[in-house]
Amino acid sequence: MLTRVGEPRAARLAVAWLVIGLLLASMVGVPFALYVWGKQIRNRLAFEVAPFELVLERTGRAMAVRERTLRAYLYEPTPERFAHWQESRVVLDEALAEARRMATAHEPEMVDDVAELVELAAAWEETAADVVARAAMDRMGALGVSARPGPVYDSFQGALGTAQSEIEATKDQLVADMGVADDARAAMPLLLALLSIPVMVYTARLSSNVLTLLAVARGEQQRLAAILEHMVDPVLVTDREGKVTLLNPAARSVLAMHPGDRIGSLGPRLRRALRAESIEPAAMLDAIARADAIAETEAVVEVDGDAIPVSISSAPIRVDRDPIGAVTVLRDLTDRVRYEEKRLEADRFQSLGAMAERIAHDFGNYLEAASAATVMLEKPSAADPAKRSRWIGIIRATFEEGRSVLAGLRTLSFVGHEPRLTPVVLESVVDRAVDVARLARRDAQRIEIERELAGRTPVRASEQDLARAIVNIVVNAIDAMPYGGRIDVRCEADDHRARIVVRDQGVGIAPEDMQRIFDMYYTTKGERGSGMGLSLAREVLRVHGGDIRVESAPGAGTTFVLELPRVQDHEIPARDPAGPDDQDTRMEATS
Amino acid sequence: MSQARVLVVDDNKWIQQTLPALLEEEGYQVEVAWNGEEGFRRVCTDQIDLVITDVSMPEVDGLELIRLMRRDPFFQRVPIIAITAFGSRKLDEAKDAGANVCFSKPLDHPTLLDNVARLTKKAPAP
């Protein structure tokens, strides 16, 4: 949520900071560039333009000296003056050569100007040489107006003036540029500072927004932490390796877990809930470690020796759709289980009432028939032996029926007694119990009972009680198949537990009945059931340290699994203790 | 004087024998039905003066039989004695449905016979 709101702001903030960065860089970079430019201009002025100007000036002066020494020689042709005139040429030639070199090196546009100067100088020299030669020949008198080098000299000075003014223009341009560079350098920081103001304001506003967002996020985080802190149910956050990264105090105290523990370490303390739909704890913890979702799955967790029923929910934590871990909540179901038990208790009372009413109904009918028959025996018509024996027969039959109801009720007296357990072979008990169950139900002829009882699994049991429990389960299976079918009865065992599995192909158990099938007096079989068989069987298994599980669906048959502890082989006596003389022939099926 | 004709409706095989025997001994003519449906058929076809019906029976029970009779103008006035081995709740239901008298099983036979006599208003045969 927060990142979603923050994303565009963060982008704008990044742009603003980029602009600020550019401005700061300009503040340093632009003045520096201006400084470099100014320096270049100064260098050019000092080392190129100014010396060239000087050379041109020197050339002009050298030419003037040349003209003057020529005139002085012509006026009075002495050897000294001739020598002066000759020497002055060296100076002019040097100055011209220098000008040519510098123009070539630094002022390409001046090369032609310099070349013109050189040509004019050459022309002057030629004319001067001519004048000097003629003067020597004519002895001064022949010095006419026509042969003087003056005009060439004027041309030279004119050309020189042009070159000088050109270089002057270059110099002026450079000086102007230098002024621009200096001014810009001075004005730049101010300009940039002015530009920075709006950007800075904008950035400050954005930054304050981001800070507000961060504060909100921190508040959220603290609130979340507070919620987690005060949650009664343990909450665990795990990473993709199934390592606990965050947990609330409830998880710390109830589960004794700490950050860095593996979620798998909960395994030994987690048990499967008794309901058929619960998952194996190991599979559940694996799913959490893989960040798979788990919805409200029941399990039992051991805390300080107590078994606490919990509902485990786990949801993956995703970042851009990739799971980075899981958050797992264990909800304590103790209250709910207690409430359900209370409700079941209430139902039990109801079924107890129904049972009492049914017994009262049966006995009411028996007594009515018997008492009416007794009245009839007192009538004169009872003198007829046929009628007499008819009434006596009815009295006897009602007594017989009452006795069998009582036999069923008597099995209730088992509940609450600790039976005497002796080592027995489970398979032989099961085998005989199946025989008894067949006898107990005449309609069992339509039913095929498949036995897989090859092993010899030692268990400690009250043989009579265990057999009675098995008979009840098998009779139930027979009753569940009114149109015939097959029942599989087999024994399995591992090192610690022995199991009797009874699977039928019958009508199955509706989910709404599943909770109550083990309740005392609860029956779905109407007249045929007393509602005692399964509750008795469960009680028997309980006192044997075992339990009964049932898996069923309407129309899909039912599987009962009776589980009890097995003992070591050497505990069974060599002789099978349950002989045919034993009590099992007196067992009664109470379905 | 013709004998009163009593219909006994009960699903219990012994009561089907003993109750008619008692009534016959008192001089009534007795018909037997095993549930409400058969009972109502007998009411329709035979000339029944009194119905003694059990309340809980398979398929069509005694309560349904009583309601059927009380809705039908022909049988509205036929007296009904309801008997049940269940508790007083069933007796109240039978009373509400329209039974004249209700008794619990086991029955007090003299009281039953007095009521049969009263409701049939026909002196039993000597």
Side-chain angles (χ1 to χ4, degrees), chain A residues 421-548:
Chain A
L421 305 182
T422 53
V424 292
V425 175
L426 184 65
E427 282 80 0
S428 52
V429 179
V430 174
D431 199 27
R432 271 193 300 277
V434 171
D435 290 341
V436 173
R438 282 201 92 108
L439 290 173
R441 282 285 185 258
R442 268 163 295 167
D443 45 4
Q445 304 315 313
R446 289 176 284 113
I447 287 163
E448 192 187 333
I449 301 186
E450 202 68 40
R451 309 179 206 205
E452 255 181 71
L453 305 167
R456 275 177 66 82
T457 310
V459 292
R460 284 177 65 78
S462 156
E463 184 172 3
Q464 191 191 348
D465 292 337
L466 183 58
R468 188 142 61 179
I470 299 163
V471 167
N472 287 344
I473 299 291
V474 175
V475 163
N476 240 329
I478 292 169
D479 288 346
M481 292 192 288
Y483 308 108
R486 207 180 79 181
I487 298 172
D488 292 304
V489 180
R490 65 171 197 277
C491 288
E492 311 171 338
D494 56 31
D495 289 345
H496 305 291
R497 310 291 286 175
R499 277 179 290 276
I500 308 156
V501 181
V502 178
R503 183 196 306 273
D504 68 44
Q505 303 170 327
V507 292
I509 301 168
E512 61 269 23
D513 291 331
M514 205 65 151
Q515 285 254 310
R516 298 184 56 189
I517 55 167
F518 290 112
D519 283 1
M520 197 72 87
Y521 320 119
Y522 183 78
T523 183
T524 58
K525 294 194 283 188
E527 295 281 321
R528 283 187 92 172
S530 68
M532 283 184 268
L534 285 178
S535 46
L536 181 82
R538 187 162 74 168
E539 189 59 20
V540 168
L541 267 294
R542 194 189 62 76
V543 300
H544 282 79
D547 201 359
I548 298 186

Side-chain angles (χ1 to χ4, degrees), chain A residues 333-344:
Chain A
L333 296 182
T334 309
D335 287 346
R336 209 191 76 189
V337 167
R338 214 171 275 156
Y339 166 75
E340 276 177 7
E341 276 171 2
K342 265 200 189 128
R343 199 170 54 80
L344 283 177

Side-chain angles (χ1 to χ4, degrees), chain A residues 38-55:
Chain A
K39 180 100 179 164
Q40 275 175 351
I41 293 170
R42 282 188 177 78
N43 282 345
R44 187 153 150 68
L45 279 172
F47 300 110
E48 292 169 16
V49 178
F52 189 66
E53 217 175 7
L54 285 175
V55 161

Side-chain angles (χ1 to χ4, degrees), chain A residues 357 361 364-366 368-369 371-372 375-376 379 381 390-391 394 397-398, chain B residues 12 14-15 17-19 21-22 25-26 85-87 89 105-107 109:
Chain A
E357 198 173 45
H361 171 261
N365 275 332
Y366 306 150
E368 165 54 27
S371 91
V375 170
M376 290 310 296
K379 300 280 178 191
S381 60
R390 182 185 170 199
W391 303 132
I394 285 179
T398 57
Chain B
N12 185 291
W14 299 310
I15 291 173
Q17 296 176 51
T18 55
L19 201 53
L22 270 177
E25 194 75 26
E26 296 297 321
F86 282 110
R89 193 165 45 85
K105 289 186 206 172
L107 301 161
H109 295 117

Side-chain angles (χ1 to χ4, degrees), chain B residues 23-72:
Chain B
L23 292 165
E24 277 164 5
E25 194 75 26
E26 296 297 321
Y28 297 101
Q29 196 180 334
V30 183
E31 303 292 334
V32 177
W34 78 280
N35 75 353
E37 189 187 352
E38 198 196 348
F40 191 66
R41 208 164 53 231
R42 285 297 179 89
V43 169
C44 295
T45 53
D46 303 354
Q47 191 69 41
I48 300 294
D49 298 311
L50 172 75
V51 175
I52 301 177
T53 179
D54 187 18
V55 177
S56 316
M57 286 177 294
E59 294 162 37
V60 181
D61 67 8
L63 291 175
E64 193 57 29
L65 172 62
I66 296 168
R67 286 189 197 109
L68 283 171
M69 287 177 65
R70 288 297 175 249
R71 269 206 298 271
D72 194 315

Side-chain angles (χ1 to χ4, degrees), chain B residues 78-107:
Chain B
V78 175
I80 301 171
I81 297 176
I83 55 174
T84 180
F86 282 110
S88 54
R89 193 165 45 85
K90 284 277 179 198
L91 291 179
D92 290 345
E93 279 177 326
K95 197 113 194 165
D96 291 346
N100 299 61
V101 194
C102 304
F103 293 118
S104 289
K105 289 186 206 172
L107 301 161

